[in-house]
Amino acid sequence: MTGSTRVPPLRVPEISAHAEGAEHPLLDRVGLTVAAHTVTAVVGPGSGKTTLGLAALGAARPGVQLTGSILLAGTDLLLLPPERRPAARAGRAAHLPQHPETELDPIRRVGGVLTETAALGHPERAARKPPARRALNRAGLDWDAVRRRFPHQLSGGQQQRLALASALVTGASLLVLDEPTSGLDPALAHALGRTVRALADDGTGALLFSHDLPLVRATADRVVVLEHGRAVDEGPAAAVLGADPPGSASGSGHGDPRLRHRATRDLLAAEHRTSVTVRDPAPRRSTPGGTVSAVGIAVRRRSGAPPTGPVSLDFPPGSRTALIGPSGSGKTTFARALAGLSAPTRGEVRLDGRPLPGRVDRRTAPPSAAPSSTCTRAVRTPSRSTVPSSPNSRTPLGCCAAWGTRRRLPGRWRPPVRWASTRRCCAVDRAASRADGSSAARWSGR
């Protein structure tokens, strides 16, 4: 079909979402349409945008029930069993989640995952690499620089762009983006907006969920305003939000404010209140502790990325220091080296002029430090998915981690990762272990 009779990539006549035990619905009879060559944006703080983004794909979080109709390229997803919905949207719809690190495969390299994903639109193996390269470059990443890296070797902004490339490589007719500029610096956020607009101009339909109103103005054709799970305002982007921010020198405002819903007026008023008055700092109080100094800190990353540093900074007690820079510039790497989570390749961290060990598990509290209810050394704890279920749930994890690399744990379970060991656990942990009757009290402190 062509022209006006062409089936839109997404049409939601009406969708509602209810959580088990909740008094009010998460979504209340929301309807929208995403046509080809257009970007439809949904705005509104805490209004159910993420729930609507999942519902547009026929998905929902555990405990959430969807009712209504969701037509993806003419197919009603809610009429299909849940196990058949992924196949129905494969190659038709792509989703960029709000937290992309949860969707990336942590044990596979970037190039291999993108090439495999390209198989949805390119069955022949030889034809998969070019679209994977184009998708990565279009998302703002260089193929040769990142194809051999794992996702954890990328910065947060780079992970966001990798997730966008994973969505682009399928060639889907519908692109659902949930807060796509989170973790991106302003230049990259602007570039992402241009990418989304270019995709729409090429024929893709995009459903954008964002709190970034400048991005919405620059990208969207239509805007839907949500409030408490209801669509309270809708229309062309220029009519709902105005061509420019209200109060700007060239701003056209948003027409007569009396014609817009209160929620829309509140959004625009909040955007107008962006100036921050910085008062003179209060006289610095006497703060216990010493000056932390980073002296020529440099970190060579095994991922092949350019090395970070050298960086030299002083952090006096009570001071506030902001470290800024574009995505991938090494901010997180420097912070990890400063905290002892990654050993620097060159340079050192000093406390009152005294060098500190490069790794946190070798740093001890000063002898004069007052005792507290925490371990005297930092312990890296595993993710929740690696902690075994045990009836002895009150056993402090710090004590368990203390034996992780030195001794075999009682029982059959062995930690799947190497944890930093600690020499002493706090008295609170030892007392809790004895109260449980566990063997942790025997092992702690050895």
Side-chain angles (χ1 to χ4, degrees), residues 27-61:
L27 296 174
D28 188 5
R29 294 174 294 177
V30 177
L32 56 85
T33 298
V34 180
H37 300 276
T38 65
V39 178
T40 300
V42 180
V43 298
S47 54
K49 297 191 298 296
T50 298
T51 302
L52 180 57
L54 292 174
L57 301 171
R61 290 170 174 166

Side-chain angles (χ1 to χ4, degrees), residues 134-227:
R134 286 195 301 269
L136 201 62
N137 292 340
R138 200 165 193 178
L141 293 174
D142 182 68
W143 170 267
D144 295 325
V146 303
R147 67 184 182 87
R148 294 290 298 166
R149 295 196 215 172
F150 293 98
H152 71 271
Q153 295 174 325
L154 304 176
S155 69
Q158 289 172 328
Q159 290 179 351
Q160 186 83 359
R161 284 176 280 165
L162 174 58
L164 175 61
S166 301
L168 298 179
V169 74
T170 63
S173 59
L174 173 68
L175 187 60
V176 179
L177 306 104
D178 190 358
E179 301 290 356
T181 57
S182 61
L184 299 184
D185 58 80
L188 286 175
H190 185 64
L192 184 140
R194 293 199 306 268
T195 298
V196 174
R197 186 65 257 174
L199 289 170
D201 293 340
D202 290 342
T204 302
L207 180 58
L208 172 66
F209 299 88
S210 180
H211 66 277
D212 188 345
L213 297 188
L215 172 70
V216 172
R217 284 192 185 90
T219 307
D221 298 288
R222 296 188 62 81
V223 173
V224 177
V225 181
L226 285 187
E227 184 184 44

Side-chain angles (χ1 to χ4, degrees), residues 241-306:
L241 301 179
D244 294 287
S248 63
S250 60
S252 60
H254 52 281
D256 189 345
R258 294 172 297 179
L259 301 180
R260 304 257 64 97
H261 190 273
R262 173 192 50 78
T264 306
R265 298 197 301 269
D266 290 346
L267 278 176
L268 296 169
E271 183 188 18
H272 184 49
R273 296 191 298 267
T274 55
S275 60
V276 179
T277 302
V278 179
R279 301 179 179 178
D280 293 334
R284 183 175 295 170
R285 299 178 181 178
S286 177
T287 306
T291 297
V292 176
S293 302
V295 182
I297 292 292
V299 180
R300 182 175 297 278
R301 292 176 276 189
R302 291 180 296 177
S303 60

Side-chain angles (χ1 to χ4, degrees), residues 317-344:
S319 64
R320 297 179 292 270
T321 303
L323 189 64
I324 62 175
S327 173
S329 60
K331 300 184 296 296
T332 300
T333 301
F334 173 74
R336 288 179 59 85
L338 191 66
L341 298 177
S342 298

